[in-house]
Amino acid sequence: MGMSMHRDHRERFLALLARENAAAIVPTGALKIRNHDSEYRFRPRSDFWYLSGFREPDAVLVLVPNHAEATSVLFLNERDREKETWTGRRLGVEAAPSALGVARAYPLAELDERLEELLPGHERIVYGFGEDQQLDRRMLELVGALQQKSRALRPTPRQWVEPALGLHELRLRKDAAELECLRQAARVSAEAHRALMRAARPGVNEGELDALLDYTFRRRGGSGSAYGNIVAGGANACILHYRENDRALVAGELCLVDAGCEWEFYASDVTRTLPIGGRFSPEQRALYELVLRAEYAALARVRPGATQDDVHDTAVGVLVDGLLALGLLSGSRADALAQHTYRRFYMHRTGHWLGLDVHDVGLYVQAGKPRPFEPGMVTTVEPGLYVAEDDESVEPRWRGIGIRIEDDVLVTADGHEVLSADVPKEVDELEALLGGRERVGLQR
Ligand SMILES: [Mn+2]
């Protein structure tokens, strides 16, 4: 793995660029200020990491397949003894080619002037607009100037191409080395969720469990959480992106935990919903078993040729049947499906691509139709039900229950593999894990 994975990605993308007579300019971005003069921890942009394996900020990878001497060129910060004393070690221009396998490396300050020499000979440029307005403007000006002085012998770029059209299609299909990262991310997530289940009991604050997740992710070698952990007790679970994580858990309520480890910047995305105190109430249990049935039915649909819509429709079908049976929806099944009355309780989609980004790149629709799954794609499957605290259309006993069950799923040649299968989700397992403490007499 390591460098060879990124080199493989670069070679694959260069071959694609060569066919299109295209160059690519791929920046990683700069440190971002958190407040005053403190910065957020840096995380390379996913396209850049995929192609380079380089962790430092302030770098740009340029791929120029039609260039005579060097097809991969990295621009990065120069070594600087004084700056490194303050802000950390730098790889530097000299060491970059052998460390990363790029053909050449230059100081970032030379980017514009070198691009004038590297870009001619290519008809289009792959560049993602919208991340960095300053760089966007510089690139437009630079290419505009190139076109002004173009010579007939060497084509100058005339077209900008979005990374979504080629690079993101490569990222959508995971290779063996990437799958190893995704498996490792899921493995550590499983350990973190299990640790949380052992620690979750009445009186514990959501924030303590949030910290336990982060601790386990990083202790086991992950780079941290792949997105903001959600630890949502009671009706907080009905807020889909609940972030406060600061309330003490109460016996008898559910706690929804949506958290995934990031491994070498590859994400996992796992949700479990736990009975605090160790016993589901009848209403909680009815809804939980319904969501679990929907998840199993949806998972069973994941195989080559099926689509995200198939998976979603399957989950919705099971949920609607169950909601009708429990009296939470009324009327006919056909009407509930046609009029989307279930959306009061299930308002999100059932899955999304997973990879370097938790909501990973890759088109969901091609030529107006949902694209079929192919081996090597990774998706989440995550049905849920959320009954708002103030939903007066249902009996009070159902209100404030929020449930989601989410796993990470690899599409294989003959079906699928659940990467997060080690995270318990059966009712009996959860009741044993969360209630076991009383039986062995442990006190907080
Ligand atoms: Mn998800």
Side-chain angles (χ1 to χ4, degrees), residues 227 258 269-271 352 358-359 380 382 404 406:
Y227 53 94
D258 183 345
D269 184 4
V270 178
T271 308
H352 55 78
V358 64
H359 297 154
T380 64
E382 49 177 309
R404 181 164 61 255
E406 173 176 34

Side-chain angles (χ1 to χ4, degrees), residues 424-435:
K425 61 185 173 187
E426 293 295 327
V427 165
D428 295 350
E429 286 179 287
L430 295 180
E431 291 195 337
L433 269 162
L434 278 107

Side-chain angles (χ1 to χ4, degrees), residues 368-417:
K369 286 199 293 190
R371 81 183 301 161
F373 290 128
E374 297 168 37
M377 293 179 177
V378 178
T379 183
T380 64
V381 172
E382 49 177 309
L385 285 174
Y386 315 89
V387 186
E389 269 179 297
D390 57 356
D391 187 339
E392 297 191 350
S393 75
V394 301
E395 290 173 50
R397 63 194 174 108
W398 299 107
R399 293 177 199 164
I401 299 178
I403 295 162
R404 181 164 61 255
I405 305 172
E406 173 176 34
D407 282 294
D408 302 341
V409 187
L410 165 67
V411 183
T412 60
D414 52 4
H416 67 265
E417 177 191 335

Side-chain angles (χ1 to χ4, degrees), residues 28 39 63 98 103 172 182 196 219 227 239 250 341 361 406:
T28 196
E39 292 133 351
L63 298 177
S98 65
L172 177 59
L182 288 164
L196 183 146
R219 184 173 66 95
Y227 53 94
I239 302 164
V250 176
T341 52
V361 295
E406 173 176 34

Side-chain angles (χ1 to χ4, degrees), residues 128-147:
F129 283 95
E131 298 267 13
D132 178 342
Q133 292 189 355
Q134 239 183 332
L135 188 63
D136 290 356
R137 204 170 319 121
R138 260 168 65 202
M139 292 299 110
L140 286 169
E141 279 168 16
L142 189 141
V143 171
L146 272 182
Q147 288 167 351

